[in-house]
Amino acid sequence: MVDRITDIWGERTPHPRGTVWPARVDLHLEEGVAEGDVERWVQSACLLCSNGCGADIAVKDGRMVGVRGRAGDTVSHGRLGPKGLYGSTPWASSPDRLTRPLIRKDGELVETDWDTAMGRIVEVSKRLLDEKGPLSHGFYTSGQLFLEEYYTLAVIGKAGLGTPHMDGNTRLCTATSAAAFKESFGADGQPGSYTDIEHCDAIFLYGHNMPETQTVLWTRILDRTRGENPPRIACVDPRRTAVAEEAIRTGGVHLAPRVGTNLALMNGLVRELFVHDWVNHAWVSEHTIGVDELRETVDPYTPEHVADICGVAADDLRAAAQVFGESSGVLSTVLQGFYQSHQATAASVAVHNLHLLRGMIGRPGAGVLQMNGQPTAQNNRECGADGDLPGFRNWDNPEHVQQLADAWNVDAMTVPHWAPPTHAMQIMSYAETGSIGFLWISATNPAVSMPESARIRRILAGDQCFTVVQDLFLTETAQLADVVLPAAGWGEKTGCFTNVNRVVHLSEQAVQPPGEARSDLDIFLMYADSMGFTDRDGAPVVKWRTAEEAFDAWAIVTAGRPVDYTGLSYEKLRGPSGIPWPANAEHPDGTDRLYTDGVFPTDTDYCETYGHDLITGGAVSEQEHRAMAPGGRAFLKGAPYTPAHETPGDDYPLLFTTGRTVYQFHTRTKTGRARSLNQAAPDAWVELSPTDAAELGINEGDWVRVESPRGAIEVRARIGRVTPGAVFAPFHYGHWDPDDLTDAEHRSANELTMTVWDPVSKQPTFKTAACRVTRLRAGEGPAPAPTNTASAPAPGTPTRAPATGGGAATSSHVLDETPHYALDPSQEI
Amino acid sequence: MPHLATYVALVDHSERTLAESLRAVADGHARQADVFHTCHTLAGWSERHREDLAPVVERYGEQDDVDEPERLRADALTSTREGEIGLLRDLQDLHLLATLVHSTWTVIAQGAQGLRDRQLLEIATSSTAETTRQLTWLTTRIKQAAPQALIVAP
Ligand code: SF4
């Protein structure tokens, strides 16, 4: 029996380089249920982070009562992490689920039936279409719907209504990953594979606290760093995370740059490759363009200059570059520390530059993983519910637009392609003025998760915009809506989703949704039916009724595109493992890694974008792109470092940065309702360095006020492991609380963050704001922050904080024989 | 070379006008966060062009009194317009100003070639490249703002 709150990653199964990762099956059932009591196991995958670990759902008496890892799954080899084990099912039977539609009457939300609720939505929608046309409509989705739902909504928006105003909260978590791929390689698509972990001899984690965000992936890395010929780890993070500790342990490097200076650091690393000639010249000249400009751009970033800007020792920078330059296989992973920080796209593209210069891409052990935050973020990008065109098509290429118009049998003029898709922050800004008068929000909670959340709440609560919210619970956002629709969640509906590693999983319906809740797919179909969207022949634009039909329709539009699903079907996905796209006649079992031939989707007629100016976001034109004749070569793109938009000064002397903890996911809609997880991280906190705390007279557990020019929070202080000058707050906590905390009104980290975004990816910059901290009063004890994660107390500070633990029992057993994984290079004969 | 000197003065003047106008638009539309930050960044570029040009201005002497190109001088935007349609018009004004800067640098680059004035040629070439980027951003942002402003803006 293992408590996976205490033991986050579970038992080690170390193994040598180049060998297959052993399988270990993790299982958790709710209290009082034994394995023999389970009536059915239903195939799925975990929906609590982008890793997408294969899982079976345990069903008893029509309820989901637990989960078990799928040993044959290529992603997880049977493992599950604490979030997946404890957080997957309890929310579903929570008494506060939404079970009936709600409608606003005289200022109050009251229960109603579906016909009345949908009738109201359709009435407003039709009126606005008549008065102002489709640009009055906006849709804001999630990273947690299924592929079939995104695609259906994309067709409604692009072929039915014709609005460019569609985006997902994926804008907040993963937009930079997509943007960086497009700038370097011409199209979205994860180049690397998790199997690179078994074959590399160095792993670089950039702004990626993997041990807490994707615990099972970190388990996979630990099984290598604790095995024979371990890889060296390099960590770029302003906090001393478990990654940083593993970097030190493996003889690698921990670089802790000042918040907001990532690009300077990256330019320094790229420069070192040039200086020491760690460059594969033949490969670079055959497979890339732009090397001379890049060399010139990074030239000023000497180690000493970088040290000045970033506060990182020049020799540490040299050491990190040397690890990169001299290893035979490097795997890089990137996440929010880069994506949600200043110059996000340019810094993430710089990771590609390092790999391209060494030709470190497309073979086992040499790869890039630009990570995602949420479990289905990838599908939002693929299907175009984020405003892009489905199938990684280029909205600026008339031929691509025509392909979709033909597939949907509508006039190409209907498909919004005349301007770049409207990103989330712009949608909110249009909703603020009433220019968007109809906003539909699905499965996301922007009242807590968007920057400057007080402003967002004002926009949603105002009369200038009619708001529909579709969710599992009456979230902070739903409370502000005009109509609330009860949605079915994971396990209560069928659909597919794709993890960060391109692996597509089928998640089958295990139980009935509560009350009158309906799947998001059914809700979208109901809207499409009621609106009567038709194609050129008067037939319905949305031509499917079930998830499986939606999947098949989606597969057809991916033909010939990088994201090729034509070889996939529900039947095929019912096998032992998820399958990574592209999957087609040529690759019936899918594809482990992209670009094995060094040919990239940059051809002008094929690419997803012509590219952008990394500093301004200005779009490269088709003619300019054609003149560069990329023809399958990757772009080496550089940009100079510029200081962050808000830097500390006299009034706000510290740097505020936000992030997450292993025990909570997003705004805690699911994890907050799982006892084991919630009690491990029950309330918000803020982390200060011992130096800053001493200067401000703050002790562990004291209540403090953290204030930026936009707002303030009042939470307890952890004297922790941030670098001096930085203040870290988890963003999960809004005013909803499972235990009805009375002080939950002032703890939402996004009260402080700025409305500012990256010029290319349009991802908001959550990680750089200036703030000041003042002590309010003594606390009742230590801060409510976990002690066994990056939020642990600073070494040597006496905190009396009890060790985090108390998780319910789980089981875990290592299989004697490792299953065969179809594409695993370690098992190829 | 009275005319080259006039053009040096003209580009100096139009870069200043552009920089001031960019800053005015940034502050006038501060609620559009990208407009605010990008316009300030682009204004910085124009100001740097003027700094780079300063030694040349000294060498040639600023000829401010030649009549003809006077008519090419545009005034800076001192106030900005309201709302989405206002932003669109302000961006168009910036585009006009940047176009004037661009063509003026082109003229100067030709003159510098003829005179084999390497310093001036380098300044003109690098400034033109950045003016092109300013124009590209303006076009991108105008495209983005136009449909909403023209069709639905309140
Ligand atoms: S790593 Fe992510 S997908 Fe896997 S079990 Fe944990 S939360 Fe779920």
Side-chain angles (χ1 to χ4, degrees):
Chain A
M1 290 297 123
V2 197
D3 164 10
R4 292 291 297 280
I5 296 294
T6 308
D7 188 0
I8 298 172
W9 306 296
E11 185 190 345
R12 292 279 56 70
T13 51
H15 65 108
R17 185 176 181 190
T19 63
V20 67
W21 187 33
R24 182 190 91 192
V25 176
D26 296 344
L27 163 82
H28 170 64
L29 296 170
E30 69 176 38
E31 221 183 303
V33 180
E35 229 177 314
D37 302 336
V38 175
E39 288 155 15
R40 280 183 303 134
W41 293 96
V42 180
Q43 175 168 0
S44 181
C46 174
L47 197 74
L48 283 168
C49 86
S50 63
N51 212 49
C53 300
D56 287 325
I57 306 171
V59 180
K60 180 177 180 290
D61 302 330
R63 284 181 55 240
M64 298 193 276
V65 293
V67 283
R68 180 179 67 193
R70 289 171 65 83
D73 192 70
T74 177
V75 170
S76 48
H77 295 203
R79 288 165 189 75
L80 293 171
K83 274 198 293 276
L85 287 165
Y86 296 124
S88 286
T89 57
W91 59 271
S93 34
S94 171
D96 56 345
R97 280 292 296 274
L98 284 170
T99 55
R100 297 199 65 198
L102 307 174
I103 193 164
R104 194 166 291 280
K105 269 210 186 98
D106 305 325
E108 297 290 313
L109 281 173
V110 294
E111 284 196 357
T112 186
D113 55 47
W114 274 98
D115 287 341
T116 312
M118 191 52 77
R120 177 98 179 95
I121 293 170
V122 168
E123 172 206 316
V124 177
S125 181
K126 284 192 168 157
R127 177 170 51 75
L128 276 169
L129 277 183
D130 282 349
E131 285 170 10
K132 297 179 163 184
L135 298 183
S136 58
H137 282 54
F139 293 85
Y140 185 55
T141 55
S142 155
Q144 299 177 48
L145 298 180
F146 287 158
L147 174 161
E148 296 80 355
E149 296 165 338
Y150 292 125
Y151 183 58
T152 303
L153 183 63
V155 173
I156 290 172
K158 292 175 209 298
L161 285 162
T163 176
H165 305 322
M166 307 184 83
D167 203 356
N169 63 14
T170 48
R171 185 67 62 187
L172 277 46
C173 80
T174 168
T176 299
S177 150
F181 287 145
K182 293 185 213 175
E183 294 303 322
S184 299
F185 308 132
D188 195 350
Q190 188 71 270
S193 166
Y194 287 180
T195 59
D196 288 327
I197 293 169
E198 281 89 59
H199 297 270
C200 64
D201 58 354
I203 307 179
F204 277 63
L205 294 99
Y206 299 96
H208 184 190
N209 186 9
M210 189 195 284
E212 298 196 49
T213 54
Q214 285 93 4
T215 56
V216 171
L217 194 59
W218 181 245
T219 306
R220 193 165 183 157
I221 288 182
L222 283 180
D223 284 343
R224 283 290 302 112
T225 57
R226 308 300 169 112
E228 262 173 63
N229 7 77
R232 281 186 290 177
I233 303 289
C235 168
V236 179
D237 200 309
R239 287 203 296 170
R240 193 169 171 98
T241 59
V243 181
E245 273 161 17
E246 204 63 6
I248 308 297
R249 221 189 54 81
T250 56
V253 189
H254 175 208
L255 302 171
R258 265 183 210 117
V259 174
T261 65
N262 291 333
L263 185 57
L265 183 90
M266 295 310 296
N267 284 347
L269 288 174
V270 174
R271 184 180 181 278
E272 285 295 286
L273 292 198
F274 283 120
V275 168
H276 296 276
D277 202 24
W278 290 314
V279 175
N280 183 339
H281 295 282
W283 198 92
V284 165
S285 73
E286 199 177 335
H287 297 289
T288 70
I289 53 179
V291 66
D292 295 330
E293 292 87 339
L294 180 65
R295 191 188 290 110
E296 213 173 288
T297 304
V298 300
D299 189 56
Y301 298 87
T302 61
E304 286 69 26
H305 184 43
V306 171
D308 272 354
I309 298 173
C310 305
V312 160
D315 281 342
D316 286 349
L317 183 88
R318 287 193 184 92
Q322 188 172 7
V323 173
F324 199 100
E326 294 184 344
S327 296
S328 64
V330 183
L331 171 65
S332 290
T333 78
V334 193
L335 196 61
Q336 310 305 5
F338 272 38
Y339 299 167
Q340 295 184 339
S341 193
H342 184 56
Q343 299 192 287
T345 305
S348 305
V349 157
V351 175
H352 300 159
N353 293 341
L354 290 169
H355 281 262
L356 290 168
L357 286 174
R358 291 212 57 214
M360 282 270 179
I361 197 156
R363 62 178 162 85
V368 176
L369 297 170
Q370 299 277 358
M371 299 300 291
N372 297 340
Q374 295 179 84
T376 78
Q378 186 61 43
N379 303 106
N380 201 329
R381 274 148 56 179
E382 295 168 357
C383 298
D386 67 344
D388 284 344
L389 292 184
F392 299 163
R393 285 179 173 83
N394 184 351
W395 60 267
D396 220 359
N397 181 332
E399 176 53 32
H400 288 191
V401 177
Q402 192 60 50
Q403 289 165 4
L404 289 172
D406 291 345
W408 299 332
N409 192 27
V410 296
D411 184 343
M413 288 287 280
T414 312
V415 183
H417 63 279
W418 50 80
T422 318
H423 57 96
M425 302 305 292
Q426 186 70 55
I427 290 178
M428 286 300 169
S429 164
Y430 288 150
E432 187 169 28
T433 62
S435 165
I436 285 178
F438 177 98
L439 180 63
W440 190 322
I441 300 171
S442 320
T444 182
N445 191 7
V448 177
S449 57
M450 271 199 162
E452 241 184 295
S453 43
R455 167 172 175 253
I456 301 297
R457 286 197 300 277
R458 218 167 36 240
I459 294 171
L460 299 177
D463 287 334
Q464 82 295 347
C465 182
F466 177 83
T467 320
V468 180
V469 172
Q470 158 181 342
D471 213 318
L472 306 171
F473 296 96
L474 193 64
T475 60
E476 289 89 337
T477 302
Q479 287 168 24
L480 305 171
D482 294 289
V483 176
V484 179
L485 303 175
W490 178 85
E492 298 168 345
K493 58 179 185 180
T494 294
C496 291
F497 61 98
T498 306
N499 84 339
V500 63
N501 195 27
R502 289 175 281 105
V503 176
V504 187
H505 283 111
L506 173 64
S507 176
E508 304 255 30
Q509 180 171 358
V511 298
Q512 290 301 319
E516 296 174 24
R518 296 188 183 183
S519 76
D520 299 272
L521 177 64
D522 286 342
I523 298 172
F524 293 144
L525 290 174
M526 189 181 185
Y527 172 68
D529 288 348
S530 317
M531 292 295 289
F533 297 125
T534 50
D535 67 11
R536 269 209 253 240
D537 301 323
V541 156
V542 181
K543 297 180 174 56
W544 46 89
R545 307 311 300 174
T546 66
E548 185 163 4
E549 288 165 14
F551 184 89
D552 293 341
W554 158 247
I556 291 171
V557 302
T558 64
R561 296 301 301 160
V563 50
D564 193 340
Y565 277 67
T566 51
L568 297 178
S569 63
Y570 273 26
E571 198 194 319
K572 190 137 196 185
L573 291 167
R574 289 198 174 102
S577 176
I579 300 172
W581 60 254
N584 49 27
E586 200 187 328
H587 304 284
D589 292 324
T591 307
D592 192 31
R593 60 179 48 67
L594 304 182
Y595 313 138
T596 48
D597 51 4
V599 177
F600 301 89
T602 52
D603 187 87
T604 306
D605 297 320
Y606 188 70
C607 63
E608 188 181 2
T609 176
Y610 302 131
H612 298 85
D613 187 315
L614 295 182
I615 292 288
T616 66
V620 176
S621 71
E622 187 208 327
Q623 296 89 315
E624 289 165 329
H625 193 267
R626 215 172 273 287
M628 291 186 275
R633 290 175 295 167
F635 288 95
L636 287 164
K637 282 193 184 180
Y641 157 77
T642 59
H645 295 307
E646 190 170 274
T647 47
D650 290 346
D651 285 348
Y652 301 98
L654 298 166
L655 267 168
F656 182 74
T657 181
T658 67
R660 43 224 89 219
T661 175
V662 66
Y663 301 115
Q664 299 285 8
F665 182 64
H666 255 243
T667 61
R668 298 171 304 128
T669 308
K670 288 179 178 170
T671 51
R673 289 175 172 88
R675 192 192 51 86
S676 295
L677 294 170
N678 199 58
Q679 72 182 17
D683 195 3
W685 70 90
V686 64
E687 290 165 36
L688 300 169
S689 72
T691 336
D692 294 324
E695 210 160 282
L696 296 161
I698 293 167
N699 293 311
E700 168 74 28
D702 284 356
W703 285 92
V704 296
R705 182 176 169 82
V706 186
E707 206 172 354
S708 84
R710 290 156 296 279
I713 50 172
E714 294 182 3
V715 294
R716 280 165 282 181
R718 159 65 35 95
I719 314 305
R721 303 174 164 220
V722 286
T723 45
V727 176
F728 172 93
F731 82 104
H732 309 290
Y733 302 90
H735 70 76
W736 169 73
D737 193 88
D739 303 319
D740 284 326
L741 284 183
T742 47
D743 51 25
E745 288 298 324
H746 305 287
R747 59 179 188 174
S748 175
N750 283 321
E751 304 284 344
L752 279 74
T753 48
M754 283 177 93
T755 301
V756 55
W757 54 82
D758 181 73
V760 182
S761 69
K762 321 290 186 201
Q763 182 157 351
T765 307
F766 288 103
K767 301 224 183 231
T768 40
C771 75
R772 63 172 166 243
V773 180
T774 41
R775 183 177 181 278
L776 295 173
R777 58 181 184 280
E780 310 72 33
T787 55
N788 57 342
T789 64
S791 61
T797 40
T799 60
R800 300 189 313 275
T804 301
T810 74
S811 76
S812 182
H813 76 275
V814 177
L815 301 195
D816 296 335
E817 204 171 319
T818 308
H820 183 78
Y821 301 100
L823 301 164
D824 198 313
S826 311
Q827 291 178 316
E828 272 170 12
I829 321 118
Chain B
M1 299 167 284
H3 292 297
L4 182 60
T6 310
Y7 266 84
V8 168
L10 178 62
V11 86
D12 187 51
H13 183 267
S14 17
E15 286 279 23
R16 191 177 82 204
T17 309
L18 178 58
E20 286 170 6
S21 306
L22 280 162
R23 296 213 186 270
V25 172
D27 296 337
H29 297 278
R31 270 161 37 128
Q32 304 293 329
D34 63 328
V35 172
F36 176 80
H37 292 293
T38 314
C39 284
H40 276 303
T41 303
L42 301 188
W45 294 2
S46 287
E47 283 152 7
R48 207 184 51 243
H49 299 166
R50 295 189 62 217
E51 284 165 26
D52 293 347
L53 190 68
V56 180
V57 174
E58 237 166 66
R59 258 198 293 129
Y60 287 101
E62 264 204 72
Q63 296 269 329
D64 234 357
D65 51 351
V66 182
D67 278 349
E68 215 239 328
E70 272 298 319
R71 279 187 284 124
L72 285 174
R73 291 198 170 187
D75 293 328
L77 268 82
T78 42
S79 64
T80 54
R81 304 170 176 93
E82 291 285 310
E84 287 165 34
I85 194 82
L87 172 63
L88 186 62
R89 296 211 189 130
D90 287 340
L91 291 171
Q92 270 188 295
D93 273 340
L94 291 176
H95 195 278
L96 278 174
L97 293 171
T99 310
L100 175 61
V101 171
H102 192 273
S103 60
T104 311
W105 279 121
T106 309
V107 170
I108 290 176
Q110 297 303 103
Q113 291 270 15
L115 281 173
R116 298 180 196 159
D117 184 334
R118 276 181 206 286
Q119 183 190 24
L120 182 55
L121 182 59
E122 261 170 40
I123 296 167
T125 312
S126 63
S127 301
T128 310
E130 286 195 335
T131 314
T132 304
R133 292 171 67 196
Q134 291 172 323
L135 283 164
T136 301
W137 178 77
L138 287 165
T139 309
T140 304
R141 195 62 178 79
I142 285 169
K143 275 190 170 179
Q144 187 197 324
Q148 199 72 12
L150 296 180
I151 303 168
V152 254

